[in-house]
Amino acid sequence: MRGAREGSISAADSIKEAVAKSKEIQKKYSPFITINEKAEASRTKGRLYGLAVSVKDNICTKGLQTTAGSKILEGYIPPFDATCIEKIKNEGATIIGKTAQDEFGFGTFSVNTQLSIPKNPSDAERTCGGSSGGAGCITAAADFPHVAIAESTGGSITAPAAFTGTIGLTPTYGRVSRYGLVDYSNSMDKIGVLGNRVHDCALMLSIIAGHDPLDSTSSELPTEDFTKYLNADLKGVKIGLPKEYFSEGVDKRISKNVRDKAALLESLGAKCEEMSLPSTPYAIPSYYLIAVSEASTNLAKYCGLRYGLQKDITGNFDEYFTKVRTEGFGEEAKRRIILGTFARMAGFRDKYYFKALRIRATIIKEFKQAFKKYDALITPSMPVVPPKFSDIKNLTPLQNYYMDILTTAPNMAGMPTISMPVEKVDGLPVGMQIIADQFKEGNLIKIAHKFEVSA
Ligand code: GLN
């Protein structure tokens, strides 16, 4: 990473500068919910010494407000660090602030929140994507050494990476501990990284990955130093282009960009061919059923007693609970609580929730089958260029959900992905998504890095 580690300026000055510049960026683009005014350079001279890191606001940071983008958690100051935060602090990183997001991760454009709405540095009338929009925004706007820690359930790292022209690495489910993450849909939530260089993402992942006894779903597989996959050769690497990801509904100019990149990867020694993942169209309905079902139970704990928003205690428990939740949750959170509760209800469960789980199993099987033959798959990251806020307002909830057609399947299957910027369309950033088999982040780093240095 640049800056302090190169010895050009001291770590203390580097962090001071990062905070001062972040405040300037905040005035223009609002990437943060909270800026860490007390940020100080670490004394630990680890691998991230002097590095400014921003953290999505659904990841707990000791002493620093954590809202998950929701008014219901406003004022909540965690007394502990999430495991990934502890790990980066142990390597000398400094948290400069908490980044804006859709409430609890419920969205694709970072507009579903009563708190901060980040604006795209390429065009401030447009979204940065979501739900980790603040992470994409600050990663694109920062002209100081910086890496963002973010989270994805169904595409929340890929969307902002594509829309802001940055790199977004979503690891395999279970690769990074979720301890200290505010749950959205816990069978799909994954903590990952946004950066401007593949190297930075690989290094960060090497640090935050690994088994954690505090998260029973974190994998016990040994973790790796992912930087060893940088500068690898692509000879013999087999890449599939799933045709369903290039179909109707995807901007043809974006599809073409990605196909052109396949040609580039071929010239670098890889073998690319078209293939099919026929269950892809079922990903959106099943993803949303599973996501809202889990979300509706996860949100039950916000009752205005334990964390965040509190009101004068009047009336009985139901009345108090209703008052706090009516005010604290935004429209999309309420919609998801209702949908999720319905999908899990006795009488409907088999028809919706269990059916969605079966589709998910089929999607996983299909990916697994594909990865017997291919080392990775490439697809467009998002089907459209970053939309204008004025156009997002006119989308129905269903049209909103369909923006995730390219990201939900790999996310619900727990496959790792990386989004790489490709040529702009109409002067706006767009991305290419690379998908690998579970725990094969090495393949992503290998292909993405070769692509980065050759494109
Ligand atoms: N847009 C998707 C949703 O609203 C994904 C969000 C995410 O990954 N957190 O659920």
Side-chain angles (χ1 to χ4, degrees):
M1 312 218 178
R2 294 164 294 155
R5 302 197 69 222
E6 282 170 10
S8 52
I9 69 174
S10 72
D13 287 345
S14 179
I15 295 298
K16 245 189 233 143
E17 188 183 308
V19 174
K21 286 185 165 173
S22 292
K23 287 186 183 166
E24 289 306 310
I25 295 169
Q26 179 70 1
K27 282 188 208 145
K28 266 172 101 169
Y29 303 120
S30 310
F32 292 101
I33 292 176
T34 308
I35 291 181
N36 185 7
E37 300 281 348
K38 295 180 297 206
E40 259 183 18
S42 168
R43 274 186 284 267
T44 312
K45 295 199 171 167
R47 287 178 285 173
L48 302 179
Y49 177 56
L51 180 70
V53 176
S54 67
V55 178
K56 186 174 180 178
D57 209 28
N58 59 356
I59 298 171
C60 286
T61 42
K62 188 174 176 176
L64 199 56
Q65 178 180 248
T66 298
T67 68
S70 181
K71 209 173 151 195
I72 211 156
L73 275 171
E74 238 182 332
Y76 172 58
I77 299 182
F80 72 108
D81 275 325
T83 298
C84 64
I85 300 302
E86 202 177 285
K87 286 185 168 186
I88 62 167
K89 283 187 177 171
N90 287 341
E91 291 285 352
T94 295
I95 312 297
I96 52 161
K98 303 298 295 289
T99 51
Q101 61 164 100
D102 289 290
E103 185 173 17
F104 294 105
F106 302 157
T108 309
F109 303 121
S110 297
V111 295
N112 295 335
T113 176
Q114 305 186 68
L115 308 180
S116 186
I117 297 181
K119 301 186 190 79
N120 199 315
S122 292
D123 174 353
E125 284 179 22
R126 292 174 189 267
T127 174
C128 291
S131 63
S132 314
C137 182
I138 185 65
T139 304
D143 57 347
F144 51 85
H146 159 268
V147 175
I149 301 260
E151 174 274 342
S152 169
T153 308
S156 280
I157 291 178
T158 296
F163 285 170
T164 61
T166 57
I167 299 171
L169 174 60
T170 307
T172 310
Y173 178 81
R175 180 62 106 173
V176 176
S177 168
R178 289 183 298 110
Y179 180 72
L181 173 69
V182 178
D183 290 322
Y184 162 6
S185 174
N186 29 317
S187 78
M188 300 194 273
D189 299 341
K190 301 158 288 279
I191 292 177
V193 186
L194 280 99
N196 285 306
R197 295 196 316 180
V198 176
H199 164 272
D200 298 357
C201 297
L203 175 62
M204 213 56 176
L205 179 63
S206 311
I207 291 167
I208 62 175
H211 178 65
D212 178 7
L214 298 174
D215 171 8
S216 60
T217 60
S218 73
S219 167
E220 290 187 18
L221 281 181
T223 141
E224 296 180 83
D225 175 2
F226 293 99
T227 60
K228 75 174 184 222
Y229 294 100
L230 300 168
N231 300 312
D233 193 359
L234 294 192
K235 229 173 242 117
V237 170
K238 282 198 178 143
I239 298 175
L241 278 69
K243 63 170 192 246
E244 293 78 5
Y245 286 73
F246 293 83
S247 64
E248 227 183 293
V250 181
D251 186 322
K252 291 206 168 50
R253 299 165 300 174
I254 302 178
S255 293
K256 181 180 179 302
N257 266 351
V258 175
R259 286 192 197 279
D260 288 350
K261 295 307 162 202
L264 170 73
L265 292 169
E266 287 227 316
S267 75
L268 296 169
K271 270 216 85 46
C272 299
E273 66 183 26
E274 191 164 285
M275 43 80 75
S276 174
L277 292 169
S279 298
T280 304
Y282 306 108
I284 287 277
S286 49
Y287 163 80
Y288 272 96
L289 280 169
I290 296 168
V292 297
S293 296
E294 293 184 19
S296 64
T297 60
N298 283 326
L299 296 191
K301 60 180 167 283
Y302 303 111
C303 59
L305 292 175
R306 280 179 275 192
Y307 331 84
L309 186 67
Q310 295 195 347
K311 307 246 90 186
D312 287 339
I313 301 196
T314 52
N316 62 31
F317 179 77
D318 279 353
E319 284 159 0
Y320 178 71
F321 185 88
T322 304
K323 187 163 61 181
V324 172
R325 288 165 71 87
T326 301
E327 183 181 322
F329 288 139
E331 192 181 303
E332 184 60 23
K334 287 173 186 154
R335 178 178 295 114
R336 293 190 186 209
I337 291 171
I338 295 169
L339 276 173
T341 308
F342 177 76
R344 288 184 291 105
M345 261 163 68
F348 295 107
R349 204 176 313 176
D350 287 341
K351 202 166 155 198
Y352 297 113
Y353 180 63
F354 287 129
K355 194 164 177 188
L357 289 181
R358 283 199 297 277
I359 294 172
R360 180 188 200 173
T362 307
I363 288 175
I364 295 174
K365 228 198 268 160
E366 234 170 66
F367 272 119
K368 283 282 177 197
Q369 197 61 32
F371 288 124
K372 280 188 188 151
K373 184 159 178 204
Y374 302 103
D375 300 294
L377 307 174
I378 62 172
T379 75
S381 294
M382 293 301 284
V384 294
V385 298
K388 285 194 169 163
F389 292 113
S390 53
D391 292 333
I392 294 171
K393 273 203 196 97
N394 299 324
L395 295 176
T396 64
L398 215 56
Q399 286 171 326
N400 243 294
Y401 298 167
Y402 267 91
M403 291 293 162
D404 302 333
I405 40 172
L406 307 173
T407 53
T408 41
N411 269 275
M412 69 198 287
M415 306 291 164
T417 66
I418 192 165
S419 179
M420 296 294 294
V422 295
E423 270 84 28
K424 292 187 170 178
V425 167
D426 281 346
L428 297 165
V430 296
M432 168 173 83
Q433 172 175 247
I434 313 174
I435 311 168
D437 197 0
Q438 289 164 345
F439 300 102
K440 293 279 196 234
E441 287 88 350
N443 287 353
L444 300 179
I445 306 287
K446 212 166 152 175
I447 298 168
H449 186 247
K450 192 77 186 174
F451 174 75
E452 177 180 44
V453 296
S454 317

